[in-house]
């Protein structure tokens, strides 16, 4: 679903959040999840073919969805939504009706900074996360040692709850070791952020 916005320099841009297509997006997906900063995602040593297979498995599920966030056609973030009851985080807290789990990984910064980028992206992702009226709360569980991820969640408006230990997951598709994470929540806003625009 696309949203229109514009930067302060009045150059119109378009933020789009389509479902990721693993075959077409495999190079970008692989480059993101094998970075050292993505160690928490459990695919650091995976090859491109395996990463594609993992996201093809995600694409087949009704409970997990991956989206490639694009700005002016360029991938700027990987955003994932999932049902907490179908994820290992459900072992760490009491899932409420209306909860939705989210994962977010921003692309490495490239080129000159874009004024208003963070505000536009954050507003777009907040609207996207809560586009279903049934979603009442977003749940995140970033790596407890990843200060940048925790700072990003704070900017998104998430409230830190407690530190948790995510259990080990050993599946044919992916292996995730036991990990320390921070459980954080974002309640549905009374009013969703408007699209950023400037006359």
């Amino acid at each position: 679903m696309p949203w229109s916005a514009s930067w302060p320099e009045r150059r119109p841009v378009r933020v789009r959040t389509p479902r990721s297509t693993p075959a077409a997006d495999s190079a970008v997906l692989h480059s993101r999840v094998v970075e050292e900063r993505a160690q928490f995602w459990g695919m650091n040593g995976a090859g491109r073919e395996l990463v594609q297979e993992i996201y093809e498995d995600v694409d087949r599920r009704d409970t997990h969805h991956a989206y490639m966030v694009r700005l002016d056609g360029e991938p700027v973030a990987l955003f994932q939504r999932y049902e907490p009851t179908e994820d290992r985080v459900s072992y760490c807290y009491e899932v409420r009706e209306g909860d939705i789990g989210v994962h977010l990984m921003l692309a490495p910064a490239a080129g000159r900074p874009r004024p208003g980028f963070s505000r536009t992206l954050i507003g777009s992702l907040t609207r996207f996360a809560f586009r279903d009226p049934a979603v009442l709360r977003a749940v995140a569980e970033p790596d407890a040692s990843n200060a940048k991820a925790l700072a990003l969640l704070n900017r998104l408006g998430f409230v830190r709850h407690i530190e948790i230990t995510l259990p080990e997951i050993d599946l044919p598709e992916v292996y995730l070791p036991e990990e320390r994470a921070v459980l954080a929540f974002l309640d549905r806003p009374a009013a969703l952020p408007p699209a950023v625009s400037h006359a």
Side-chain angles (χ1 to χ4, degrees):
M1 177 180 292
W3 288 284
S4 295
S6 61
W7 300 117
E9 61 261 43
R10 301 181 183 181
R11 180 176 63 83
V13 298
R14 200 167 184 80
V15 177
R16 302 189 69 249
T17 314
R19 282 276 289 275
S20 177
T21 306
D25 293 334
S26 63
V28 176
L29 290 168
H30 179 256
S31 68
R32 299 290 186 266
V33 301
V34 298
E35 293 178 9
E36 184 177 352
R37 66 192 179 104
Q39 184 174 356
F40 199 67
W41 291 50
M43 290 178 273
N44 278 131
R48 178 172 168 178
E49 183 176 334
L50 178 57
V51 170
Q52 179 176 328
E53 290 175 0
I54 290 171
Y55 278 94
E56 285 174 342
D57 178 68
V58 170
D59 195 49
R60 286 190 291 267
R61 297 172 181 245
D62 294 328
T63 57
H64 292 65
H65 303 293
Y67 303 88
M68 189 65 69
V69 184
R70 297 180 183 275
L71 176 68
D72 285 350
E74 293 296 320
V76 295
L78 176 60
F79 184 67
Q80 296 182 189
R81 285 168 39 116
Y82 63 90
E83 297 292 338
T85 53
E86 300 299 320
D87 189 86
R88 61 177 179 165
V89 74
S90 64
Y91 293 99
C92 302
Y93 88 106
E94 186 174 348
V95 179
R96 293 182 189 171
E97 184 175 353
D99 280 358
I100 192 76
V102 297
H103 293 148
L104 174 64
M105 185 190 302
L106 297 181
R112 69 181 182 86
R114 300 199 199 195
F117 170 80
S118 296
R119 180 175 52 171
T120 300
L121 183 63
I122 287 170
S124 294
L125 292 178
T126 301
R127 291 194 305 277
F128 186 73
F130 290 102
R131 63 179 181 165
D132 182 350
V135 174
L136 303 178
R137 185 172 66 166
V139 181
E141 15 69 72
D143 181 354
S145 64
N146 190 331
K148 289 186 177 180
L150 295 173
L152 175 60
L153 282 183
N154 184 62
R155 289 163 61 196
L156 284 166
F158 279 79
V159 176
R160 179 172 175 157
H161 184 49
I162 57 172
E163 285 200 11
I164 57 176
T165 300
L166 294 167
E168 178 187 50
I169 298 293
D170 191 359
L171 299 174
E173 302 87 5
V174 65
Y175 171 75
L176 295 173
E178 181 180 275
E179 294 169 306
R180 295 292 297 168
V182 170
L183 187 64
F185 299 110
L186 175 63
D187 289 330
R188 184 184 187 86
L192 295 180
V196 178
S197 61
H198 299 266

